[in-house]
Amino acid sequence: RRLSPQVGGRIADRVFDITRTFPLALDVGSGRGYIAQHLNKETVEKLIQVDIAENALKNAVESEIPTVKVVADEEFLPFKEDTFDLVVSSLSLHWVNDLPKAFREIHQVLKPDGVFIGAMFGGDTLYELRCSLQLAELEREGGFSPHVSPFTAVADLGHLLARAGFNTLTVDTDEIQVNYPGLFEIMEDLQGMGESNCSWNRKPLLHRETMLAAAAIYQEMYGNSDGSVPATFQIYYMIGWKYHESQAKPAQRGSATVSFGDLAKIEGLLKRGKK
Ligand SMILES: C[S@@+](CC[C@H](N)C(=O)[O-])C[C@H]1O[C@@H](n2cnc3c(N)ncnc32)[C@H](O)[C@@H]1O
């Protein structure tokens, strides 16, 4: 709950960095609409919010942008090709079963020269929780099953976006640390963010004793001096463009007039050019 508005704000900042007006935008996995909240109608004139959970859409926060809400799965976007000038997505893509397909869908519904700006959880997310649960389970139950979903590695993300057809890619990562009173409050917050299924899908229940052991391990290994515990969320931000011929592109092979080897002598070459 604390994280989503913050990441939504950072996505909106990246939208504002592009100095143009977007007549029609799509928010994929919009949930309660924390991106729209940070945008304005001068930048995005109309927004379609898509989420698989009707309830989340119903409880969306207010926004000044005219908005249409659609219940749909982001792996099967119900829109025509070349429809949107902008697609945004915050913290929902780690849920999909088929990420390459979701990227292809997003690429398809974008207009040429349209842009996709997204954020998703990265591989180091909740490593403290993962480690504490594994240690506690090993100790109490003699084995462990993963309780925190595996996240995509940053190196894969660029490849996936490129394979979906995006170009002029930017991928960067950010870490946000949130302090909590203890492990149980972290779990509660994850539940509030709609993240609990993702973390708990392998084994329906952990024994209470194991949970208590995990809380103690968490405190011991990662605890702050004031008694609180940090939880790390790693977030990948990505920007990708759909190709349009007006975009800058690399020069044709063999069209260079100076070889790379001569770059060290660039000053001399420039002087010669001036004469
Ligand atoms: C953690 S919430 C993030 C919501 C919102 N973008 C935000 O920043 O607050 C994840 C959202 O993804 C939605 N979601 C999960 N899988 C989905 C899918 N396959 N298609 C569409 N939405 C999905 C969930 O319903 C949930 O609202």
Side-chain angles (χ1 to χ4, degrees):
R1 266 165 290 179
R2 298 167 223 192
L3 200 66
S4 303
Q6 207 173 335
V7 176
R10 292 188 188 184
I11 297 249
D13 287 343
R14 284 162 167 82
V15 175
F16 290 130
D17 283 345
I18 302 168
T19 46
R20 55 164 94 164
T21 301
F22 299 96
L24 185 61
L26 172 71
D27 182 352
V28 170
S30 60
R32 300 195 55 205
Y34 289 115
I35 302 178
Q37 191 187 31
H38 293 93
L39 291 170
N40 59 40
K41 57 181 190 298
E42 285 71 41
T43 307
V44 172
E45 290 174 346
K46 192 171 175 192
L47 177 69
I48 298 190
Q49 294 176 316
V50 162
D51 201 284
I52 207 161
E54 195 176 355
N55 228 11
L57 289 172
K58 271 193 194 144
N59 292 311
V61 290
E62 289 275 307
S63 150
E64 64 173 63
I65 304 168
T67 300
V68 176
K69 297 178 173 44
V70 178
V71 178
D73 187 335
E74 54 202 29
E75 283 177 57
F76 305 92
L77 292 175
F79 305 104
K80 283 201 193 121
E81 213 175 317
D82 302 346
T83 301
F84 297 97
D85 306 279
L86 165 74
V87 177
V88 291
S89 176
S90 175
L91 303 183
S92 82
L93 284 164
H94 60 284
W95 275 93
V96 302
N97 294 317
D98 188 347
L99 189 58
K101 179 161 194 296
F103 283 156
R104 283 199 302 274
E105 290 278 299
I106 291 172
H107 184 265
Q108 190 173 339
V109 300
L110 267 177
K111 283 184 188 161
D113 202 31
V115 61
F116 166 53
I117 304 180
M120 65 186 281
F121 285 123
D124 286 342
T125 296
L126 297 173
Y127 71 88
E128 306 95 337
L129 180 63
R130 195 170 4 205
C131 200
S132 307
L133 286 171
Q134 285 181 359
L135 285 176
E137 237 187 320
L138 263 179
E139 189 188 289
R140 300 283 149 145
E141 300 177 27
F144 70 87
S145 48
H147 292 286
V148 179
S149 51
F151 299 102
T152 315
V154 72
D156 300 335
L157 203 56
H159 292 303
L160 289 180
L161 287 164
R163 271 181 39 201
F166 288 102
N167 62 52
T168 329
L169 300 173
T170 318
V171 178
D172 58 280
T173 88
D174 189 15
E175 267 185 19
I176 300 179
Q177 245 187 20
V178 185
N179 289 322
Y180 292 89
L183 178 139
F184 291 97
E185 286 78 5
I186 298 175
M187 310 292 323
E188 207 182 289
D189 209 26
L190 290 176
Q191 220 154 28
M193 279 164 53
E195 290 304 327
S196 55
N197 286 357
C198 222
S199 341
W200 294 97
N201 53 5
R202 301 290 161 87
K203 205 175 175 190
L205 225 100
L206 272 170
H207 298 127
R208 178 151 179 87
E209 221 177 276
T210 311
M211 290 291 290
L212 287 169
I217 291 170
Y218 204 129
Q219 186 72 50
E220 177 71 28
M221 282 179 63
Y222 307 105
N224 299 317
S225 53
D226 64 359
S228 64
V229 294
T232 302
F233 295 90
Q234 187 188 30
I235 291 148
Y236 298 151
Y237 291 95
M238 61 205 118
I239 304 179
W241 293 79
K242 182 156 171 177
Y243 177 75
H244 184 262
E245 56 190 20
S246 67
Q247 290 164 350
K249 40 185 172 297
Q252 237 180 354
R253 256 183 106 85
S255 63
T257 52
V258 178
S259 86
F260 263 118
D262 290 337
L263 281 180
K265 303 176 240 161
I266 189 87
E267 268 188 36
L269 284 169
L270 286 175
K271 270 187 210 148
R272 236 193 301 152
K274 270 187 200 155
K275 275 183 201 161

